[in-house]
Amino acid sequence: MKITLVMAGDEEGGLEKHVVELAHGLQQHDHNVTVIAHEKYHDRLHTNFIAVDLSKSRRNPFVLYQLYKAIKGSSADIVHVHGNKAAAMVASVMSFVQVHTVATLHSRKKNTKMFKNYEAVITVSPNAAEVLDHPNKVVILNGIDLPKALPSIAKHQPPVVLTIGRLVPVKGFDILIEAWKEISGAELWIVGDGFEQEKLQSLIASHQLQNQIKLLGHRTDIYQLLQQASLFVMSSHYEGCPYTMVEALLCKVPMISTAVGAMTMVLPEKYLCPPNDVQALHRLIEQTLQNLPEVQQDFESVFQFAEQHLVLDGMIDNTVKVYQSLLSA
């Protein structure tokens, strides 16, 4: 098939990672792939690429005309758009292009009206699917290539609880730091950068937790850090299907999380707590750290699920089935 992927904006997050990996996976499965996106992503995409700056206003007539020309010129069988903004922009020009259309909703959103005219909509979590009123919607969890085998190393002592994400409010790291008060015998490592760094550092200092909580900044050795961790934690207010969850489970690191996004589908209920609840998160962290051998046993079936369903080939196969259903219809 000739498949054109469209993403708007110029950020760095799960959506952008998803599009890059989907493009390469589709190409490895012998499909002809074109990506329409901001120029900044050109170097990391080894596919056909058309640069259009969709970070500008979704109503900008010049940008919309460029988008129309790019889609028309790609001669696609399927146009697959990612995220609300891209869905809105492509929807405004799709009547001028006779092509099958698919959209992916990457997280739970209040406004999903821009998806109504797409032939099929993929969501990356059951939570996102709940709010979407569409007759042809399907949940496909994110997947990655299995991590390469790394030299075996001992778990860090004292035990490390690891979390990874942009330092922004939605990740709930302020709630996590508050919940860490009176947690003993373990360290919390927070990996990532963002505009909340100073605020979080001040919060750590105000609770005198500098010896227990470390802000590690941006890191490129994620798998090595996961090897050292005894537990992964996610404190987000909302999520889709975060790649950090996928990476942790494929590295066989047990995980606790707020009950958001794909975690409600993948993790055992006893390892979930309500979002934005300091006391509930504190209790979950404390109880889990006290029973790490039992936790590891509880997660054996979760790790097996991850190896079957949270890998790139599975994600590609399920996405291609959606494309084929439209073409055969």
Side-chain angles (χ1 to χ4, degrees):
M1 285 178 282
K2 296 185 72 174
I3 303 157
T4 294
L5 307 179
V6 183
M7 65 174 169
D10 57 355
E11 299 179 358
E12 299 290 343
L15 185 153
E16 292 75 24
K17 179 180 176 66
H18 175 94
V19 173
V20 170
E21 298 207 346
L22 177 62
H24 291 155
L26 288 168
Q27 189 158 272
Q28 288 167 7
H29 283 66
D30 297 325
H31 298 291
N32 186 315
V33 180
T34 298
V35 178
I36 300 173
H38 192 282
E39 175 63 33
K40 69 175 288 185
Y41 304 109
H42 193 176
D43 290 345
R44 70 190 81 170
L45 280 157
H46 311 301
T47 65
N48 302 321
F49 188 88
I50 304 175
V52 180
D53 185 1
L54 301 181
S55 66
K56 297 179 180 178
S57 168
R58 64 184 65 187
R59 297 181 181 85
N60 185 311
F62 177 69
V63 174
L64 291 176
Y65 180 65
Q66 284 186 306
L67 177 60
Y68 158 74
K69 284 179 60 180
I71 293 173
K72 190 79 171 176
S74 70
S75 302
D77 300 312
I78 297 283
V79 171
H80 185 172
V81 307
H82 292 265
N84 289 45
K85 185 177 182 181
M89 297 178 84
V90 172
S92 66
V93 302
M94 69 167 59
S95 60
F96 302 103
V97 184
Q98 298 301 311
V99 64
H100 291 289
T101 55
V102 179
T104 293
L105 175 61
H106 283 265
S107 62
R108 189 182 179 105
K109 300 288 187 181
K110 291 181 180 179
N111 182 9
T112 59
K113 64 182 181 180
M114 65 284 297
F115 294 96
K116 67 179 182 179
N117 290 326
Y118 286 85
E119 293 173 82
V121 180
I122 296 168
T123 68
V124 299
S125 73
N127 298 52
E130 284 176 359
V131 300
L132 180 66
D133 182 16
H134 194 281
N136 188 16
K137 60 183 179 181
V138 60
V139 176
I140 300 177
L141 301 178
N142 288 336
I144 62 172
D145 282 321
L146 281 170
K148 295 179 180 178
L150 295 169
S152 179
I153 60 174
K155 296 290 185 183
H156 187 278
Q157 292 299 326
V160 164
V161 178
L162 181 68
T163 188
I164 303 168
R166 290 175 297 146
L167 306 186
V168 293
V170 70
K171 297 300 182 182
F173 290 141
D174 55 340
I175 302 297
L176 178 57
I177 292 168
E178 294 283 356
W180 199 264
K181 288 187 294 184
E182 299 181 16
I183 297 290
S184 60
E187 294 181 5
L188 173 63
W189 294 358
I190 301 175
V191 177
D193 53 20
F195 66 85
E196 283 210 311
Q197 181 168 345
E198 288 187 15
K199 171 189 169 181
L200 297 178
Q201 195 71 65
S202 297
L203 188 60
I204 291 168
S206 70
H207 294 309
Q208 298 182 336
L209 293 170
Q210 298 95 320
N211 293 330
Q212 288 85 31
I213 302 178
K214 298 178 181 179
L215 294 180
L216 301 186
H218 175 74
R219 298 286 290 258
T220 58
D221 57 343
I222 297 302
Y223 290 130
Q224 286 84 352
L225 293 173
L226 283 166
Q227 276 192 298
Q228 297 178 66
S230 295
L231 185 67
F232 190 87
V233 60
M234 183 163 288
S235 53
S236 299
H237 301 308
Y238 63 85
E239 285 283 355
C241 182
Y243 280 93
T244 50
M245 175 196 76
V246 178
E247 290 166 341
L249 296 181
L250 288 177
C251 288
K252 300 186 182 303
V253 180
M255 178 178 176
I256 58 176
S257 175
T258 47
V260 296
M263 279 67 71
T264 60
M265 179 178 175
V266 176
L267 303 185
E269 188 176 354
K270 67 187 284 189
Y271 296 109
L272 299 172
C273 71
N276 201 28
D277 187 329
V278 172
Q279 292 305 316
L281 183 57
H282 172 84
R283 288 193 297 270
L284 183 57
I285 294 169
E286 194 169 53
Q287 292 167 5
T288 308
L289 285 172
Q290 288 172 356
N291 298 285
L292 284 176
E294 176 188 331
V295 173
Q296 195 72 32
Q297 290 181 352
D298 287 348
F299 268 80
E300 286 304 318
S301 61
V302 182
F303 299 149
Q304 291 174 14
F305 175 90
E307 290 179 350
Q308 292 175 3
H309 300 283
L310 301 182
V311 290
L312 187 59
D313 281 347
M315 183 183 81
I316 298 299
D317 288 344
N318 289 327
T319 303
V320 168
K321 286 176 184 176
V322 174
Y323 299 160
Q324 290 171 337
S325 70
L326 300 183
L327 293 175
S328 62

